[in-house]
Amino acid sequence: MRCAKCRATAQVEVRRHHTSFCGPHFLEWFEAQVDRAIRRERMFGPQHTVLVAVSGGKDSLVLWDVLLRLGYRATGLHLNLGIGAYSRESQEKCEAFARSRGADLLVVDIPAEYGVGVEGMAELSGRVPCSACGLSKRYLFNRVAVERGFDVVATAHNLDDEAAVLLGNLIAGNVDALVRQAPVLESTHPGLARKVKPLYRIAERETAAYAVLRGIDYVLDECPNSVGARSLLLKEALNLLERDAPGTKQSLYWNFLEKLRPLLRAASEPVALQSCVHCGQPTPSEVCAFCRMTERVARKLQARVAVPAAGREPAAVTSGGNRKPA
Amino acid sequence: MRCAKCRATAQVEVRRHHTSFCGPHFLEWFEAQVDRAIRRERMFGPQHTVLVAVSGGKDSLVLWDVLLRLGYRATGLHLNLGIGAYSRESQEKCEAFARSRGADLLVVDIPAEYGVGVEGMAELSGRVPCSACGLSKRYLFNRVAVERGFDVVATAHNLDDEAAVLLGNLIAGNVDALVRQAPVLESTHPGLARKVKPLYRIAERETAAYAVLRGIDYVLDECPNSVGARSLLLKEALNLLERDAPGTKQSLYWNFLEKLRPLLRAASEPVALQSCVHCGQPTPSEVCAFCRMTERVARKLQARVAVPAAGREPAAVTSGGNRKPA
């Protein structure tokens, strides 16, 4: 195989585009793909401040790297989830990346803030770990972005993630989630940050190739709670189809965005949001789901240790980067 | 495992319903499920004449068997596709079944009628075999039903078939096909038969169990052209998810029917049908796709053999059953 640009020996094959690239031209192509997605979907411009959710895994560090290289004003936000060695290593990778790039990194330490990590929250509130974790992430990314005045939150969901979530939502018949599944979610409430997914057109194996070629040091382990997760099985099912017909995931997700979602959206009612009476964050109910969870956790922990009243104070954010955060 | 009805040793497990049955109670449950689908979706009543599309495979002979047992007026229609030994054996199974039940069977012999089988049609018209075959089936089932005054055409598509077709249509973003995918398709033109799928709530392994328990003799081989077919891979991908979470296929398809399809339908335009200028059958264009295909085939065959002008005369139908056809 030869590079489509320079005819040198190809290092990366992009089967769904029937093309291959040498290392340098793959990096160039990759960055152009991300920038094109940002511009076409009007995600943000060079004047906007972008809060990038960084887990320490390959996708989020790749996203942060590309945004910085493209000249966007990208600050990282890492949540320490309190999942043992996995979380310690994840935070270290984010801090090392920030140092190497001279970039700003904000950190919220969930165990320090709420008395327990996301696994403890799950246990004490009767949720499964991935549910408590997902809720905490959505809440804290939004809250930090709004309180610190960022224009937009960027997450590193790639094509494989989006296609798997889509298939899961289709199986569950979750029309609300289908309507909300898009590369850009506009703010519909003063307390709701704008959310964007600049990697939505990039396959997981392409972010992996980018990370390797750029020498980005990321956490190799998956979260220990993700073993046997439904999301991995949904990806496996789609990979089976992708191997037979490269472009399957892209077709599924892009056709959904272009053809099905507009029809679903036109026919469904937007959810009315109000401010949570405890924390002020947007919620369809009186008290937001995160406050309900953390208050339940706080009550159960009271017998053991004294913790701050959950959700009522802004989460403490420390800077793990080089400069003062935005 | 014990039968949910009589506590005898269970012979069939229905995992998606968390239940098991002994042989006799499984047959009872199966027939009740089919009858409930027919009534709930108002497919037809005991007064209506039903043309059942029978391939000789397990699903279609099971459907015919159940309809006869439930007391419906079900006549079989078999198309001999001209695919060598596979087609000969398929027709024999249909004829043997009809004889054993004293049921009416109509047969259209495609090679006798059009000079070549569906594989030859595909080759001479530049289609893939499954496309020429599917077009021939849709056309001939409809035409025979309308010309012979049947109230409805019943096909044996089961839950696995429907879920796989749905996933394929979602990947392809085929909104028109999604809108048309339903257990009942009403007639929207005098030349268009009403179409129903009484097995749409029944899993493939349940029809297999029914066929075995009833001693129905069916063609075991799959069509030789289906090897490596995309539809089999779509089923494999769904089976992977079904094994992990029984009920996945049911959720995907039933949620689509209940929640998504109504929204898509409300937002899309119905296709306007006219009569084909050659054969009179309904079509969105001036000449229907079947006449376009068979005329092309006839032109290419002219140099070799004389064939009747394709599509202009009603297809000759012979009776393979016991009594005069309806």
Side-chain angles (χ1 to χ4, degrees), chain B residues 51-124:
Chain B
L51 186 66
V52 188
V54 286
S55 66
K58 69 177 181 319
D59 295 320
S60 59
L61 292 183
V62 163
L63 172 61
W64 198 8
D65 184 81
V66 172
L67 294 185
L68 292 170
R69 284 177 191 278
L70 292 171
Y72 293 110
R73 297 171 64 191
T75 296
L77 170 59
H78 177 74
L79 308 182
N80 188 311
L81 305 167
I83 306 175
Y86 169 74
S87 285
R88 279 193 298 279
E89 202 198 335
S90 298
Q91 184 168 338
E92 281 163 18
K93 298 291 184 193
C94 294
E95 288 169 346
F97 181 91
R99 275 194 304 275
S100 74
R101 301 298 195 273
D104 295 332
L105 174 68
L106 308 178
V107 175
V108 176
D109 187 319
I110 290 179
E113 197 67 20
Y114 300 98
V116 283
V118 291
E119 292 164 310
M121 279 200 198
E123 198 193 321
L124 295 173

Side-chain angles (χ1 to χ4, degrees), chain B residues 6 64 66 95 125 158 162 196 203 216 224 242 273 294 311-312 319:
Chain B
C6 71
W64 198 8
V66 172
E95 288 169 346
S125 65
N158 60 39
E162 292 296 298
V196 299
I216 293 173
E242 181 81 22
L273 293 177
T294 49
R312 279 172 208 159
S319 174

Side-chain angles (χ1 to χ4, degrees), chain A residues 5 19 33 38 46 78 111 114 137 139 148 165 179 206 219 240 243 270 297 302:
Chain A
K5 287 275 177 74
T19 193
Q33 285 281 110
I38 291 168
H78 177 73
Y114 299 98
K137 284 175 173 171
Y139 179 87
R148 301 206 156 217
V165 167
V179 169
E206 291 153 22
V219 187
L240 185 75
R243 277 195 293 276
V297 167
Q302 256 171 359

Side-chain angles (χ1 to χ4, degrees), chain B residues 293-314:
Chain B
M293 175 174 76
T294 49
E295 282 161 12
R296 199 164 166 187
V297 167
R299 277 197 304 276
K300 298 226 177 163
L301 284 177
Q302 258 170 358
R304 299 193 223 163
V305 287
V307 290
R312 279 172 208 159
E313 300 300 316

